[in-house]
């Protein structure tokens, strides 16, 4: 009996147990995941979950409390104790607000300071296990398009659709620079590119749940593609899976 309980909680995801439909979208920073996943979720009528926002929230709270990002046990404890929620407005599929312990941190988690800190927080095993638990919990209640780095490999290895998006480093840096400027965050373009490349390296080379495509993921290079084309391609995969 105990063995069955351990197997279920450790290995089986809510999806495998017959829950919601999951569309996993993984890829490096600024590969187009967020825009594509949000547009897709709206188009096919699913919820959207930004798992990067959760790691960002943990990093933000660690900096606010003066906890060293390298302190494995304190960071693990912090990740288990924070409450992260996504607030939906009305019937909207897209959660516009990220809540950390009841406080709106949507803007605070998207600064260059958090960009630099988040990879260190995200490589911590205990932090990851707390976030994965919460991600499965949130997705168990509705069909969800989830974007991240390890959705298809770790969080939902049996996801109905798995996509891995890529784009050249130059194109990704360009997109991120435009996005930051639109939000009024002024940073030098080459500093943005350097930050992205460093983060990719940290995310891909970490020991726990490194950034990599699942073996059965469909890989799409979005460099020359429009958002519309990428969304249409994934929507077709979802149709086939339904
Ligand atoms: O998608 P993003 O740039 O907001 O992600 C922020 C960081 O969080 C990124 O450096 C990697 C990490 N992350 C992760 O390790 N696993 C996820 N599922 C999502 C994000």
């Amino acid at each position: 009996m105990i063995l069955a309980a351990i197997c279920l909680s450790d290995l089986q995801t809510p999806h495998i147990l017959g829950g919601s439909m999951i569309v996993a979208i993984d890829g490096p920073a600024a590969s187009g995941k967020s825009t594509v996943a949000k547009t897709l979720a709206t188009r096919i009528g699913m919820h959207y979950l930004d798992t990067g926002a959760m790691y960002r929230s943990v990093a933000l709270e660690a900096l606010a409390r003066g906890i060293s990002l390298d302190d494995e046990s304190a960071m693990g404890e912090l990740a288990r104790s924070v409450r992260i929620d996504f607030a939906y407005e009305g019937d909207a599929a897209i959660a516009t607000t990220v809540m950390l312990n009841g406080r709106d941190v949507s803007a605070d988690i998207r600064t260059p300071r958090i960009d630099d800190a988040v990879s260190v927080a995200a490589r911590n095993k205990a932090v990851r296990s707390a976030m994965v638990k919460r991600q499965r919990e949130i997705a168990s209640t509705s069909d969800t398009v989830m974007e991240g780095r390890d959705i298809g490999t770790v969080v939902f290895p049996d996801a109905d659709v798995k996509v891995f998006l890529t784009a050249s480093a130059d194109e990704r840096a360009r997109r991120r620079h435009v996005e930051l400027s639109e939000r009024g965050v002024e940073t030098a373009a080459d500093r943005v590119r350097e930050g992205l490349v460093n983060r990719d390296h940290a995310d891909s080379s970490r020991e726990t749940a490194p950034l990599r495509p699942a073996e059965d993921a469909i890989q799409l290079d979005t460099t020359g593609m429009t958002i519309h084309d990428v969304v249409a391609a994934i929507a077709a995969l979802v149709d086939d899976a339904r």
Side-chain angles (χ1 to χ4, degrees), residues 25-30 33-34 50-56 109-110 114-115 117-123 128 131-132 135 147-151 155 176 196 199-200 202-203 206 208-211:
I25 302 191
D26 290 304
K33 296 187 305 290
S34 301
D50 172 8
T51 60
M54 301 172 71
Y55 292 97
R56 287 172 179 275
I109 59 172
R110 309 223 175 262
I114 299 301
D115 282 350
V118 65
S119 279
V120 184
R123 73 176 177 221
R128 299 204 69 83
M131 292 304 107
V132 169
Q135 287 155 18
E147 67 148 290
R149 302 294 190 287
D150 61 340
I151 311 303
V155 185
R176 181 53 54 91
L196 279 185
R199 201 135 60 87
D200 288 351
D203 293 341
R206 70 182 173 222
T208 312
L211 166 68

Side-chain angles (χ1 to χ4, degrees), residues 112 177 180-181 185-192:
H177 189 244
L180 287 169
S181 304
V185 182
E186 290 309 330
T187 329
D190 50 353
R191 158 95 176 78
V192 173

Side-chain angles (χ1 to χ4, degrees), residues 70-196:
D70 279 324
D71 185 335
E72 292 213 1
S73 91
M75 286 297 290
E77 210 169 295
L78 176 72
R80 286 188 295 274
S81 70
V82 292
R83 168 90 198 177
I84 300 173
D85 295 290
F86 292 86
Y88 295 89
E89 274 173 31
D91 291 336
I94 312 303
T96 46
T97 310
V98 186
M99 309 291 291
L100 172 66
N101 293 331
R103 188 169 64 88
D104 179 357
V105 293
S106 316
D108 296 352
I109 59 172
R110 309 223 175 262
T111 62
R113 184 167 165 254
I114 299 301
D115 282 350
D116 289 342
V118 65
S119 279
V120 184
R123 73 176 177 221
N124 182 308
K125 205 171 172 180
V127 169
R128 299 204 69 83
S129 119
M131 292 304 107
V132 169
K133 184 166 176 267
R134 182 75 184 120
Q135 287 155 18
R136 289 177 177 165
E137 233 170 59
I138 296 172
S140 69
T141 55
S142 54
D143 293 346
T144 305
V145 177
M146 294 180 92
E147 67 148 290
R149 302 294 190 287
D150 61 340
I151 311 303
T153 51
V154 174
V155 185
F156 285 106
D158 272 13
D160 301 83
V161 175
K162 294 187 193 180
V163 178
F164 193 87
L165 297 185
T166 55
S168 68
D170 283 344
E171 172 63 10
R172 291 187 292 116
R174 189 194 63 76
R175 290 176 187 167
R176 181 53 54 91
H177 189 244
V178 169
E179 181 201 318
L180 287 169
S181 304
E182 281 172 1
R183 285 194 285 113
V185 182
E186 290 309 330
T187 329
D190 50 353
R191 158 95 176 78
V192 173
R193 190 181 191 286
E194 191 191 328
L196 279 185

